[in-house]
Coordinates of all heavy atoms in Angstrom, one line a residue:
M1 N -53.2 -33.0 7.7 CA -52.3 -32.5 6.7 C -51.2 -31.7 7.4 O -51.5 -30.8 8.2 CB -52.9 -31.7 5.7 CG -53.9 -32.4 4.8 SD -54.4 -31.3 3.6 CE -54.4 -32.3 2.2
G2 N -50.0 -31.9 7.0 CA -48.9 -31.2 7.6 C -48.2 -30.3 6.6 O -48.4 -30.4 5.4
L3 N -47.4 -29.4 7.1 CA -46.7 -28.5 6.2 C -45.4 -29.2 5.7 O -44.8 -29.9 6.5 CB -46.3 -27.2 6.8 CG -47.5 -26.3 7.3 CD1 -47.0 -25.1 8.0 CD2 -48.3 -25.8 6.0
K4 N -45.1 -29.1 4.5 CA -43.8 -29.7 4.0 C -42.8 -28.7 3.8 O -43.1 -27.6 3.4 CB -44.1 -30.4 2.7 CG -45.1 -31.6 2.8 CD -45.2 -32.3 1.4 CE -46.1 -33.4 1.6 NZ -46.3 -34.1 0.3
D5 N -41.6 -29.1 4.2 CA -40.4 -28.1 3.9 C -40.1 -28.2 2.5 O -39.9 -29.3 1.9 CB -39.2 -28.5 4.8 CG -39.5 -28.3 6.2 OD1 -40.3 -27.4 6.6 OD2 -38.8 -29.0 7.1
A6 N -40.0 -27.1 1.9 CA -39.6 -27.0 0.5 C -38.2 -26.3 0.4 O -37.9 -25.4 1.1 CB -40.6 -26.2 -0.3
V7 N -37.4 -26.8 -0.5 CA -36.1 -26.3 -0.7 C -36.2 -25.5 -2.0 O -36.6 -25.9 -3.1 CB -35.0 -27.4 -0.9 CG1 -33.7 -26.8 -1.2 CG2 -35.0 -28.2 0.4
V8 N -35.8 -24.2 -1.9 CA -35.9 -23.3 -3.0 C -34.4 -23.0 -3.4 O -33.6 -22.5 -2.5 CB -36.6 -22.0 -2.7 CG1 -36.6 -21.0 -3.9 CG2 -38.0 -22.3 -2.3
V9 N -34.1 -23.2 -4.6 CA -32.7 -22.9 -5.1 C -32.8 -21.7 -6.0 O -33.5 -21.7 -7.0 CB -32.1 -24.2 -5.8 CG1 -30.7 -23.9 -6.3 CG2 -32.1 -25.4 -4.9
A10 N -32.0 -20.7 -5.6 CA -31.9 -19.5 -6.5 C -31.0 -19.8 -7.7 O -29.9 -20.3 -7.5 CB -31.5 -18.4 -5.7
T11 N -31.4 -19.4 -8.8 CA -30.6 -19.7 -10.0 C -30.1 -18.3 -10.6 O -30.2 -18.1 -11.8 CB -31.4 -20.4 -11.1 OG1 -32.6 -19.7 -11.4 CG2 -31.7 -21.8 -10.6
D12 N -29.7 -17.4 -9.7 CA -29.2 -16.2 -10.1 C -27.9 -16.4 -10.9 O -27.0 -17.2 -10.5 CB -28.9 -15.2 -9.0 CG -30.1 -14.8 -8.2 OD1 -31.2 -14.8 -8.8 OD2 -30.0 -14.5 -7.0
P13 N -27.8 -15.7 -12.0 CA -26.5 -15.8 -12.8 C -25.4 -15.2 -11.9 O -25.5 -14.2 -11.3 CB -26.7 -15.0 -14.0 CG -27.9 -14.1 -13.7 CD -28.7 -14.8 -12.6
Q14 N -24.3 -15.9 -12.0 CA -23.1 -15.5 -11.2 C -22.6 -14.2 -11.8 O -22.2 -14.2 -13.0 CB -22.1 -16.6 -11.2 CG -22.6 -17.8 -10.5 CD -21.6 -18.3 -9.5 OE1 -20.5 -17.8 -9.4 NE2 -21.9 -19.3 -8.7
E15 N -22.6 -13.2 -11.1 CA -22.1 -11.9 -11.6 C -20.6 -11.8 -11.3 O -20.1 -12.2 -10.2 CB -22.8 -10.7 -10.9 CG -24.2 -10.6 -11.2 CD -24.9 -9.5 -10.4 OE1 -24.1 -8.6 -10.0 OE2 -26.1 -9.5 -10.3
E16 N -19.9 -11.4 -12.3 CA -18.4 -11.2 -12.0 C -18.2 -9.9 -11.2 O -18.7 -8.9 -11.6 CB -17.7 -11.0 -13.4 CG -17.7 -12.3 -14.2 CD -16.9 -12.2 -15.4 OE1 -15.9 -11.4 -15.4 OE2 -17.2 -12.8 -16.4
E17 N -17.6 -10.1 -10.1 CA -17.3 -8.9 -9.2 C -16.2 -8.1 -9.8 O -15.2 -8.6 -10.2 CB -17.0 -9.4 -7.8 CG -18.2 -10.0 -7.1 CD -17.9 -10.3 -5.7 OE1 -17.0 -9.7 -5.1 OE2 -18.6 -11.2 -5.2
E18 N -16.4 -6.8 -9.7 CA -15.4 -5.9 -10.2 C -14.2 -5.8 -9.2 O -14.5 -5.8 -8.0 CB -16.0 -4.5 -10.3 CG -15.1 -3.5 -10.9 CD -15.7 -2.1 -11.1 OE1 -16.9 -2.1 -11.5 OE2 -15.1 -1.1 -10.8
E19 N -13.0 -5.9 -9.7 CA -11.8 -5.9 -8.8 C -11.7 -4.5 -8.2 O -11.7 -3.5 -8.9 CB -10.6 -6.2 -9.6 CG -9.3 -6.2 -8.8 CD -9.3 -7.4 -7.9 OE1 -9.9 -8.5 -8.2 OE2 -8.6 -7.3 -6.8
V20 N -11.8 -4.4 -6.9 CA -11.7 -3.1 -6.2 C -10.2 -2.8 -5.9 O -9.5 -3.7 -5.4 CB -12.5 -3.2 -4.9 CG1 -12.4 -1.9 -4.1 CG2 -13.9 -3.5 -5.1
V21 N -9.8 -1.7 -6.3 CA -8.4 -1.2 -6.1 C -8.4 -0.2 -5.0 O -9.2 0.8 -5.1 CB -7.8 -0.7 -7.4 CG1 -6.4 -0.2 -7.2 CG2 -7.9 -1.7 -8.5
D22 N -7.5 -0.4 -4.1 CA -7.4 0.6 -3.0 C -6.7 1.8 -3.5 O -5.6 1.8 -3.9 CB -6.6 0.0 -1.8 CG -6.5 0.8 -0.6 OD1 -7.2 1.9 -0.6 OD2 -5.9 0.4 0.4
P23 N -7.4 3.0 -3.4 CA -6.8 4.2 -3.9 C -5.6 4.7 -3.1 O -4.7 5.3 -3.7 CB -7.9 5.3 -3.8 CG -8.9 4.7 -2.9 CD -8.8 3.2 -3.0
Q24 N -5.5 4.3 -1.9 CA -4.4 4.6 -1.1 C -3.1 3.9 -1.6 O -2.0 4.5 -1.6 CB -4.6 4.3 0.4 CG -3.4 4.7 1.3 CD -3.7 4.4 2.8 OE1 -4.5 3.6 3.1 NE2 -2.9 5.1 3.6
E25 N -3.3 2.7 -2.0 CA -2.1 1.9 -2.5 C -1.6 2.5 -3.8 O -0.4 2.6 -4.1 CB -2.5 0.4 -2.7 CG -2.7 -0.3 -1.3 CD -1.5 -0.2 -0.4 OE1 -0.4 -0.4 -0.8 OE2 -1.8 0.0 0.8
E26 N -2.6 2.9 -4.7 CA -2.2 3.5 -5.9 C -1.4 4.8 -5.7 O -0.4 5.1 -6.3 CB -3.4 3.9 -6.8 CG -4.1 2.7 -7.4 CD -5.3 3.1 -8.3 OE1 -5.6 4.3 -8.3 OE2 -5.8 2.3 -8.9
L27 N -2.0 5.7 -4.8 CA -1.3 6.9 -4.5 C 0.1 6.7 -3.8 O 1.0 7.5 -4.1 CB -2.2 7.8 -3.6 CG -3.4 8.4 -4.2 CD1 -4.3 9.0 -3.2 CD2 -3.0 9.4 -5.3
R28 N 0.2 5.8 -2.9 CA 1.5 5.5 -2.3 C 2.5 5.1 -3.4 O 3.7 5.5 -3.3 CB 1.4 4.4 -1.3 CG 0.8 4.9 0.0 CD 0.8 3.7 1.0 NE 0.4 4.2 2.4 CZ 0.1 3.4 3.4 NH1 0.2 2.1 3.2 NH2 -0.1 3.9 4.5
A29 N 2.1 4.2 -4.3 CA 3.0 3.8 -5.3 C 3.5 5.0 -6.2 O 4.6 5.1 -6.5 CB 2.4 2.7 -6.2
K30 N 2.5 5.8 -6.5 CA 2.8 7.0 -7.4 C 3.7 8.0 -6.6 O 4.7 8.5 -7.2 CB 1.5 7.7 -7.8 CG 1.7 8.8 -8.8 CD 0.4 9.5 -9.1 CE -0.6 8.5 -9.7 NZ -1.9 9.2 -10.1
C31 N 3.4 8.2 -5.4 CA 4.3 9.1 -4.6 C 5.6 8.6 -4.3 O 6.6 9.3 -4.3 CB 3.6 9.4 -3.2 SG 2.1 10.5 -3.4
G32 N 5.7 7.3 -4.1 CA 7.0 6.6 -3.9 C 8.0 6.7 -5.1 O 9.2 6.8 -4.9
D33 N 7.4 6.7 -6.3 CA 8.2 6.8 -7.5 C 8.4 8.2 -8.0 O 9.1 8.5 -8.9 CB 7.5 6.0 -8.6 CG 7.5 4.5 -8.3 OD1 8.4 4.1 -7.5 OD2 6.6 3.8 -8.8
S34 N 7.7 9.2 -7.3 CA 7.8 10.6 -7.8 C 9.0 11.3 -7.2 O 9.7 10.7 -6.4 CB 6.5 11.4 -7.4 OG 6.6 11.6 -6.0
G35 N 9.3 12.4 -7.8 CA 10.5 13.2 -7.3 C 10.3 13.8 -5.9 O 11.2 14.2 -5.3
H36 N 9.0 13.8 -5.4 CA 8.7 14.4 -4.1 C 9.5 13.6 -3.0 O 10.0 14.3 -2.1 CB 7.2 14.3 -3.9 CG 6.8 14.9 -2.6 ND1 6.8 16.3 -2.4 CD2 6.4 14.3 -1.4 CE1 6.4 16.5 -1.1 NE2 6.1 15.4 -0.6
C37 N 9.6 12.3 -3.1 CA 10.2 11.5 -2.0 C 11.5 10.9 -2.5 O 12.1 10.0 -1.9 CB 9.3 10.4 -1.6 SG 7.7 11.1 -0.9
E38 N 12.1 11.4 -3.6 CA 13.3 10.9 -4.2 C 14.5 10.9 -3.2 O 15.2 9.9 -3.2 CB 13.6 11.7 -5.4 CG 14.8 11.2 -6.3 CD 15.0 12.0 -7.5 OE1 14.0 12.4 -8.2 OE2 16.1 12.3 -7.8
K39 N 14.6 11.9 -2.5 CA 15.7 12.1 -1.5 C 15.7 10.9 -0.5 O 16.7 10.3 -0.2 CB 15.7 13.4 -0.8 CG 16.7 13.6 0.3 CD 16.4 14.9 1.0 CE 16.9 14.9 2.4 NZ 16.5 16.0 3.2
Y40 N 14.5 10.7 0.1 CA 14.3 9.7 1.1 C 14.5 8.3 0.5 O 15.0 7.4 1.2 CB 13.0 9.8 1.8 CG 12.8 11.1 2.5 CD1 12.0 12.1 2.0 CD2 13.5 11.4 3.6 CE1 11.9 13.4 2.6 CE2 13.4 12.6 4.3 CZ 12.6 13.6 3.8 OH 12.5 14.8 4.4
K41 N 14.0 8.1 -0.7 CA 14.2 6.7 -1.3 C 15.7 6.5 -1.6 O 16.2 5.4 -1.4 CB 13.4 6.7 -2.6 CG 13.6 5.3 -3.3 CD 12.4 5.0 -4.2 CE 12.5 3.7 -4.9 NZ 12.6 2.6 -4.1
A42 N 16.4 7.5 -2.0 CA 17.9 7.3 -2.2 C 18.6 7.0 -0.9 O 19.5 6.1 -0.9 CB 18.4 8.6 -2.9
E43 N 18.2 7.6 0.2 CA 18.8 7.3 1.5 C 18.5 5.9 1.9 O 19.4 5.2 2.4 CB 18.3 8.3 2.5 CG 18.9 9.7 2.4 CD 18.4 10.7 3.4 OE1 17.7 10.2 4.4 OE2 18.6 11.9 3.2
L44 N 17.3 5.5 1.7 CA 16.8 4.1 2.1 C 17.6 3.1 1.2 O 18.1 2.1 1.7 CB 15.3 4.0 1.9 CG 14.8 2.6 2.2 CD1 15.1 2.2 3.6 CD2 13.3 2.6 1.9
D45 N 17.7 3.3 -0.1 CA 18.4 2.4 -1.0 C 19.9 2.3 -0.6 O 20.4 1.2 -0.6 CB 18.2 2.8 -2.4 CG 16.8 2.6 -2.9 OD1 16.0 1.9 -2.3 OD2 16.5 3.2 -4.0
A46 N 20.5 3.5 -0.3 CA 21.9 3.5 0.1 C 22.1 2.7 1.4 O 23.1 1.9 1.5 CB 22.4 4.9 0.2
C47 N 21.2 2.9 2.3 CA 21.3 2.2 3.6 C 21.1 0.7 3.4 O 21.9 -0.1 4.0 CB 20.3 2.7 4.6 SG 20.4 1.9 6.2
T48 N 20.2 0.3 2.7 CA 19.9 -1.1 2.4 C 21.1 -1.8 1.7 O 21.4 -2.9 2.1 CB 18.6 -1.2 1.5 OG1 17.5 -0.6 2.2 CG2 18.3 -2.7 1.2
E49 N 21.7 -1.1 0.8 CA 22.8 -1.6 0.1 C 24.0 -1.8 1.1 O 24.7 -2.8 1.1 CB 23.2 -0.7 -1.1 CG 24.3 -1.3 -1.9 CD 24.6 -0.4 -3.1 OE1 23.6 0.1 -3.7 OE2 25.8 -0.3 -3.5
R50 N 24.2 -0.8 1.9 CA 25.3 -0.8 2.9 C 25.1 -1.9 3.9 O 26.0 -2.7 4.2 CB 25.3 0.6 3.6 CG 26.5 0.7 4.6 CD 26.6 2.1 5.1 NE 25.4 2.5 5.9 CZ 24.5 3.5 5.5 NH1 24.7 4.1 4.3 NH2 23.4 3.8 6.2
V51 N 23.9 -2.1 4.4 CA 23.6 -3.1 5.4 C 23.7 -4.5 4.7 O 24.2 -5.5 5.3 CB 22.2 -2.9 6.0 CG1 21.8 -4.1 6.9 CG2 22.3 -1.7 6.9
S52 N 23.2 -4.6 3.5 CA 23.3 -5.9 2.8 C 24.7 -6.4 2.5 O 25.0 -7.6 2.4 CB 22.5 -5.9 1.5 OG 21.1 -5.6 1.8
S53 N 25.6 -5.4 2.3 CA 27.0 -5.8 2.0 C 27.8 -6.3 3.1 O 28.8 -6.9 3.0 CB 27.7 -4.6 1.3 OG 27.9 -3.6 2.3
R54 N 27.3 -6.0 4.3 CA 28.0 -6.5 5.5 C 27.4 -7.8 6.1 O 26.2 -8.0 6.0 CB 27.9 -5.4 6.6 CG 28.6 -4.1 6.2 CD 28.5 -3.1 7.3 NE 29.0 -1.8 6.9 CZ 28.8 -0.7 7.5 NH1 28.0 -0.7 8.6 NH2 29.3 0.4 7.0
Q55 N 28.3 -8.6 6.6 CA 27.8 -9.9 7.2 C 27.4 -9.8 8.6 O 26.4 -10.4 9.1 CB 28.8 -11.0 7.0 CG 29.0 -11.4 5.6 CD 30.0 -12.5 5.5 OE1 30.5 -13.0 6.4 NE2 30.3 -12.9 4.2
N56 N 28.1 -9.0 9.4 CA 27.9 -8.9 10.8 C 27.7 -7.4 11.2 O 28.7 -6.7 11.4 CB 29.0 -9.5 11.6 CG 28.7 -9.7 13.1 OD1 27.5 -9.5 13.4 ND2 29.6 -10.0 13.9
T57 N 26.5 -6.9 11.2 CA 26.3 -5.5 11.5 C 25.0 -5.4 12.4 O 24.1 -6.2 12.3 CB 26.1 -4.7 10.3 OG1 26.0 -3.3 10.6 CG2 24.9 -5.1 9.4
A58 N 25.0 -4.4 13.3 CA 23.9 -4.1 14.1 C 23.0 -3.0 13.5 O 21.9 -2.7 14.0 CB 24.3 -3.7 15.5
E59 N 23.5 -2.4 12.4 CA 22.8 -1.3 11.8 C 21.6 -1.8 11.1 O 21.5 -2.9 10.4 CB 23.7 -0.6 10.7 CG 23.1 0.6 10.1 CD 24.0 1.2 9.0 OE1 25.0 0.6 8.6 OE2 23.6 2.3 8.6
T60 N 20.5 -1.0 11.2 CA 19.3 -1.3 10.5 C 18.9 0.0 9.7 O 19.4 1.0 10.0 CB 18.1 -1.7 11.4 OG1 17.8 -0.6 12.3 CG2 18.4 -2.9 12.3
C61 N 18.0 -0.1 8.9 CA 17.5 1.0 8.1 C 16.2 1.5 8.5 O 15.4 2.0 7.7 CB 17.5 0.7 6.6 SG 19.1 0.2 6.0
T62 N 15.9 1.3 9.8 CA 14.5 1.6 10.3 C 14.2 3.1 10.2 O 13.1 3.5 9.7 CB 14.4 1.2 11.8 OG1 14.7 -0.2 11.9 CG2 13.0 1.5 12.3
Q63 N 15.1 4.0 10.6 CA 14.9 5.4 10.5 C 14.7 5.9 9.0 O 13.8 6.7 8.7 CB 16.0 6.2 11.2 CG 15.7 7.7 11.2 CD 14.4 8.0 12.0 OE1 14.3 7.5 13.1 NE2 13.5 8.8 11.5
E64 N 15.5 5.3 8.1 CA 15.4 5.7 6.7 C 14.0 5.2 6.2 O 13.4 5.9 5.4 CB 16.5 5.1 5.9 CG 17.9 5.7 6.2 CD 18.6 5.2 7.4 OE1 18.0 4.4 8.2 OE2 19.7 5.7 7.6
L65 N 13.6 4.0 6.6 CA 12.3 3.5 6.1 C 11.2 4.4 6.7 O 10.3 4.7 5.9 CB 12.1 2.1 6.6 CG 10.8 1.4 6.3 CD1 10.6 1.4 4.8 CD2 10.7 0.1 6.9
F66 N 11.3 4.8 8.0 CA 10.2 5.6 8.5 C 10.2 7.0 7.8 O 9.1 7.5 7.6 CB 10.5 5.9 10.0 CG 10.2 4.7 10.9 CD1 10.7 4.6 12.2 CD2 9.4 3.6 10.5 CE1 10.4 3.5 13.0 CE2 9.1 2.5 11.3 CZ 9.6 2.5 12.5
D67 N 11.3 7.6 7.5 CA 11.4 8.8 6.8 C 10.7 8.7 5.4 O 9.9 9.6 5.0 CB 12.8 9.3 6.7 CG 13.4 9.7 8.0 OD1 12.7 9.9 9.0 OD2 14.7 9.8 8.1
F68 N 11.1 7.7 4.7 CA 10.5 7.5 3.4 C 9.0 7.2 3.4 O 8.2 7.9 2.7 CB 11.2 6.3 2.7 CG 10.6 5.9 1.4 CD1 10.7 6.8 0.3 CD2 9.9 4.7 1.2 CE1 10.2 6.5 -1.0 CE2 9.4 4.4 -0.1 CZ 9.5 5.3 -1.1
M69 N 8.5 6.4 4.4 CA 7.1 6.1 4.5 C 6.3 7.4 4.9 O 5.2 7.6 4.5 CB 6.8 5.0 5.4 CG 7.3 3.6 4.9 SD 6.7 3.2 3.3 CE 4.9 3.2 3.6
H70 N 6.9 8.2 5.8 CA 6.3 9.4 6.2 C 6.1 10.4 5.0 O 5.0 11.0 4.8 CB 7.1 10.1 7.3 CG 6.6 11.5 7.7 ND1 5.5 11.6 8.5 CD2 7.0 12.7 7.3 CE1 5.3 12.9 8.7 NE2 6.1 13.6 7.9
C71 N 7.1 10.5 4.1 CA 7.0 11.3 2.9 C 6.0 10.8 2.0 O 5.1 11.5 1.5 CB 8.4 11.3 2.3 SG 8.4 12.3 0.7
V72 N 5.9 9.5 1.8 CA 4.9 8.8 0.9 C 3.5 9.1 1.4 O 2.6 9.4 0.7 CB 5.3 7.3 0.7 CG1 4.1 6.6 0.0 CG2 6.5 7.2 -0.1
D73 N 3.3 8.8 2.7 CA 2.0 9.0 3.3 C 1.6 10.5 3.2 O 0.4 10.8 3.0 CB 2.0 8.5 4.7 CG 1.9 7.0 4.8 OD1 1.6 6.3 3.8 OD2 2.3 6.4 5.9
H74 N 2.5 11.4 3.5 CA 2.2 12.8 3.4 C 1.7 13.2 2.0 O 0.8 13.9 1.8 CB 3.4 13.6 3.9 CG 3.1 15.1 3.9 ND1 2.3 15.7 4.7 CD2 3.6 16.1 3.0 CE1 2.3 17.0 4.5 NE2 3.0 17.2 3.4
C75 N 2.5 12.7 1.0 CA 2.2 13.0 -0.4 C 0.8 12.4 -0.8 O 0.0 13.1 -1.4 CB 3.3 12.4 -1.3 SG 2.9 12.5 -3.0
A76 N 0.5 11.2 -0.4 CA -0.7 10.5 -0.7 C -1.9 11.1 0.0 O -3.0 11.1 -0.6 CB -0.6 9.0 -0.4
S77 N -1.7 11.6 1.2 CA -2.9 12.1 1.9 C -3.4 13.4 1.3 O -4.6 13.7 1.6 CB -2.5 12.4 3.4 OG -1.6 13.5 3.5
K78 N -2.7 14.1 0.5 CA -3.1 15.3 -0.1 C -4.3 15.1 -1.0 O -5.2 15.9 -1.1 CB -2.0 16.0 -0.9 CG -0.9 16.5 0.0 CD 0.2 17.2 -0.8 CE 1.3 17.7 0.1 NZ 2.4 18.2 -0.6
S79 N -4.4 14.0 -1.7 CA -5.4 13.7 -2.7 C -6.2 12.5 -2.4 O -7.1 12.1 -3.2 CB -4.9 13.7 -4.1 OG -3.9 12.7 -4.2
L80 N -6.0 11.8 -1.3 CA -6.7 10.5 -1.0 C -8.2 10.7 -0.8 O -9.0 10.0 -1.4 CB -6.1 9.9 0.3 CG -6.8 8.6 0.7 CD1 -6.6 7.5 -0.3 CD2 -6.2 8.1 2.0
F81 N -8.6 11.7 0.0 CA -10.0 11.8 0.4 C -10.9 12.3 -0.8 O -12.1 12.0 -0.8 CB -10.1 12.7 1.6 CG -9.6 12.0 2.8 CD1 -8.4 12.4 3.4 CD2 -10.3 11.0 3.4 CE1 -7.9 11.7 4.5 CE2 -9.8 10.3 4.6 CZ -8.6 10.7 5.1
S82 N -10.3 12.9 -1.8 CA -11.0 13.3 -2.9 C -11.4 12.1 -3.8 O -12.3 12.2 -4.6 CB -10.3 14.4 -3.7 OG -9.1 13.9 -4.3
R83 N -10.6 11.0 -3.7 CA -10.9 9.8 -4.5 C -11.8 8.8 -3.8 O -12.2 7.9 -4.5 CB -9.5 9.1 -4.8 CG -8.6 9.9 -5.7 CD -7.4 9.1 -6.0 NE -6.6 9.8 -7.0 CZ -5.7 9.2 -7.7 NH1 -5.6 7.9 -7.6 NH2 -5.0 9.9 -8.6
L84 N -12.1 9.0 -2.5 CA -13.0 8.1 -1.9 C -14.4 8.3 -2.2 O -14.8 9.4 -2.5 CB -12.8 8.2 -0.3 CG -11.4 7.8 0.2 CD1 -11.3 8.0 1.7 CD2 -11.0 6.4 -0.2
K85 N -15.2 7.2 -2.2 CA -16.6 7.3 -2.6 C -17.4 7.4 -1.3 O -17.2 6.9 -0.3 CB -17.0 6.1 -3.4 CG -16.4 6.0 -4.7 CD -16.9 4.8 -5.5 CE -16.2 4.8 -6.8 NZ -16.7 3.6 -7.6

């Protein structure tokens, strides 16, 4: 007598997975729209509009983007770790 291979199929009900939201993304969005980084967002928007209106320009808005993202990250970091599990 030999051993037979048996196939076992689990019939666990498919659980709906809860959508996980990254708290850092929520905080960044909130900080980007807040008055805390308003000055940097206005500078970035003005630069973007200025560069978009020209056809041949070497100007980029890299520094304005870095300034805005620095402000947003600084704002978000204040309460990020208290929201992590």
Side-chain angles (χ1 to χ4, degrees):
M1 293 186 140
L3 298 175
K4 294 183 179 180
D5 292 333
V7 177
V8 178
V9 178
T11 58
D12 293 333
Q14 298 226 354
E15 296 180 19
E16 292 184 29
E17 292 187 23
E18 185 177 317
E19 184 70 27
V20 179
V21 179
D22 186 1
Q24 183 178 19
E25 294 301 319
E26 284 182 356
L27 288 171
R28 280 182 172 171
K30 190 182 296 183
C31 287
D33 293 336
S34 72
H36 182 73
C37 299
E38 186 176 316
K39 172 186 155 190
Y40 297 108
K41 181 153 178 60
E43 288 178 12
L44 177 60
D45 291 342
C47 180
T48 303
E49 187 175 322
R50 185 173 59 249
V51 169
S52 297
S53 68
R54 298 179 184 164
Q55 290 184 2
N56 190 12
T57 184
E59 182 182 13
T60 63
C61 298
T62 304
Q63 186 60 49
E64 289 81 357
L65 177 62
F66 286 162
D67 292 342
F68 176 66
M69 292 307 299
H70 176 79
C71 179
V72 168
D73 285 342
H74 180 72
C75 172
S77 68
K78 292 178 182 177
S79 59
L80 176 64
F81 290 103
S82 66
R83 291 186 176 203
L84 297 177
K85 292 181 180 181

